[in-house]
Amino acid sequence: MNQHIKLSPKVEAALKEGRPVIALESTIISHGMPYPQNVETALRCEAAAREMGAEPATIAVIGGKLCAGLTEEEIDYLGREGTKVTKASRRDLPILVAKKADGATTVAATMIIAALAGIRIFATGGIGGVHRGAETTMDISADLEELAQTPVAVICAGAKSILDIGLTLEYLETKGVPVLGYGVKELPAFYTRESGFNVDYKVDSPAEIASFIKAQREMDYPGGMLITNPIPEEYAMPGAEINAAIAQALKEADEQGIKGKETTPFLLAKVCELTGGESLASNIQLVLNNVRLAAKIAVELAK
Ligand code: PSU
Ligand code: MN
């Protein structure tokens, strides 16, 4: 094991015994949701994974250690500190390690640490992507590059329309990342089940997804996979309402000159504020739904 990795006793035991393990990220805790719902959701995700037979490994950098498996106190700390914690993507990891500092890991950084720890499945809410206006800002999330080079399958609820969904799919195609739809032909748009864009392959069972991941690993070339799982019908938001909130959030971000790593957290918080917490309730449900699917895939892979 890499010298900078620190596994929790439970994660270490599960990996050693070949039991299913799924990674969970921590930027969603610090920057993706408000306190205390962020901590509650993180703990509910861990419980949901265990219920489905997979050990959860929530990932973050604590005191310069690349941790897979956090204590409740550590999760609570990340949730309370919120945006005061460093949002850690690929480029931040060496600095945090050298400075023995803390960081909440994005999808990209979580994938790197999961791969170092030997964890191949990772559930989250939404990934970063190609932002609207990227043809001039060049704002493309490091998450997409990571999917192209790190062997971890990421289960998410599709791409939010704070992003340019079409360009995000084009980018993933260029980078050779398979994009699967669980039970759907259309890429889900996070808060809603439809985006107007198709995925590469519709898949109908966790076993089928596991067979794709297994084939990818057997060929031993770099890169992950994106499995998109639509939000359950009963928690989906009306398209018009969410799109109006997103349009307003994008306008305010532009007016305030928000840039770089601040962009995604700013947009997420604005949308939550503008929808009076309704989007937060949807967000929580879709994350739990993704954790359950990831656990089922991990269970299949461990067979
Ligand atoms: N999208 C969400 N919720 C999130 C994020 C994205 O719906 O919490 C977080 C994830 O941690 C993701 C990161 O990896 O934002 C992407 O940030 P950026 O766009 O700066 O790469
Ligand atoms: Mn960005």
Side-chain angles (χ1 to χ4, degrees):
M1 190 67 59
N2 186 281
Q3 59 172 323
H4 297 293
I5 291 275
K6 183 179 159 198
L7 303 178
S8 71
K10 280 184 178 166
V11 169
E12 185 169 15
L15 287 172
K16 202 179 276 169
E17 292 159 25
R19 284 187 280 121
V21 179
I22 64 165
L24 302 168
E25 61 148 312
S26 49
T27 294
I28 189 174
I29 305 175
S30 60
H31 291 69
M33 288 185 191
Y35 181 83
Q37 288 91 345
N38 53 2
V39 173
E40 283 161 21
T41 306
L43 297 176
R44 281 177 75 184
C45 284
E46 293 202 337
R50 289 200 180 100
E51 250 166 61
M52 306 292 297
E55 184 58 34
T58 303
I59 288 181
V61 186
I62 306 282
K65 284 286 170 198
L66 308 178
C67 295
L70 301 183
T71 63
E72 244 184 85
E73 291 70 36
E74 286 165 337
I75 289 176
D76 191 69
Y77 159 73
L78 294 173
R80 279 178 190 276
E81 288 291 295
T83 54
K84 279 185 257 152
V85 177
T86 301
K87 174 184 165 194
S89 194
R90 166 177 271 265
R91 65 173 183 177
D92 304 288
L93 292 180
I95 291 96
L96 295 175
V97 166
K99 290 174 80 131
K100 300 195 179 354
D102 303 330
T105 50
T106 63
V107 167
T110 302
M111 287 177 73
I112 294 172
I113 297 171
L116 287 172
I119 302 167
R120 300 293 175 217
I121 311 288
F122 162 21
T124 188
I127 60 159
V130 180
H131 281 265
R132 296 203 203 171
E135 59 276 24
T136 52
T137 63
M138 290 183 74
D139 189 353
I140 299 171
S141 175
D143 293 353
L144 300 184
E145 299 294 326
E146 212 57 53
L147 282 161
Q149 61 182 315
T150 300
V152 173
V154 179
I155 292 82
C156 72
K160 276 204 183 68
S161 42
I162 61 169
L163 302 170
D164 187 317
I165 297 178
L167 290 188
T168 300
L169 284 173
E170 290 292 351
Y171 203 83
L172 289 166
E173 182 189 354
T174 300
K175 293 287 172 174
V177 179
V179 180
L180 315 182
Y182 183 55
V184 288
K185 279 207 190 92
E186 209 170 299
L187 183 86
F190 200 86
Y191 300 114
T192 59
R193 292 172 63 89
E194 277 122 33
S195 66
F197 294 92
N198 284 343
V199 295
D200 304 332
Y201 297 98
K202 173 174 178 276
V203 279
D204 295 306
S205 70
E208 190 181 11
I209 299 169
S211 76
F212 292 180
I213 295 168
K214 186 164 171 286
Q216 192 186 37
R217 292 285 61 78
E218 282 167 358
M219 286 182 286
D220 204 24
Y221 65 68
M225 198 174 284
L226 190 65
I227 297 121
T228 66
N229 186 26
I231 183 170
E233 205 91 64
E234 63 268 40
Y235 303 114
M237 290 188 66
E241 183 186 339
I242 194 66
N243 288 331
I246 287 170
Q248 176 68 20
L250 286 164
K251 186 168 158 269
E252 289 187 33
D254 189 45
E255 284 164 1
Q256 294 179 39
I258 307 290
K259 283 196 181 65
K261 69 195 286 188
E262 318 298 338
T263 302
T264 299
F266 178 91
L267 294 173
L268 296 177
K270 256 297 159 227
V271 168
C272 182
E273 183 193 312
L274 290 167
T275 56
E278 198 191 329
S279 66
L280 179 61
S282 296
N283 199 344
I284 292 168
Q285 291 302 329
L286 68 84
V287 176
L288 286 166
N289 190 46
N290 295 343
V291 167
R292 289 188 287 261
L293 176 59
K296 285 183 197 164
I297 299 167
V299 166
E300 286 296 331
L301 269 174
K303 275 184 186 164

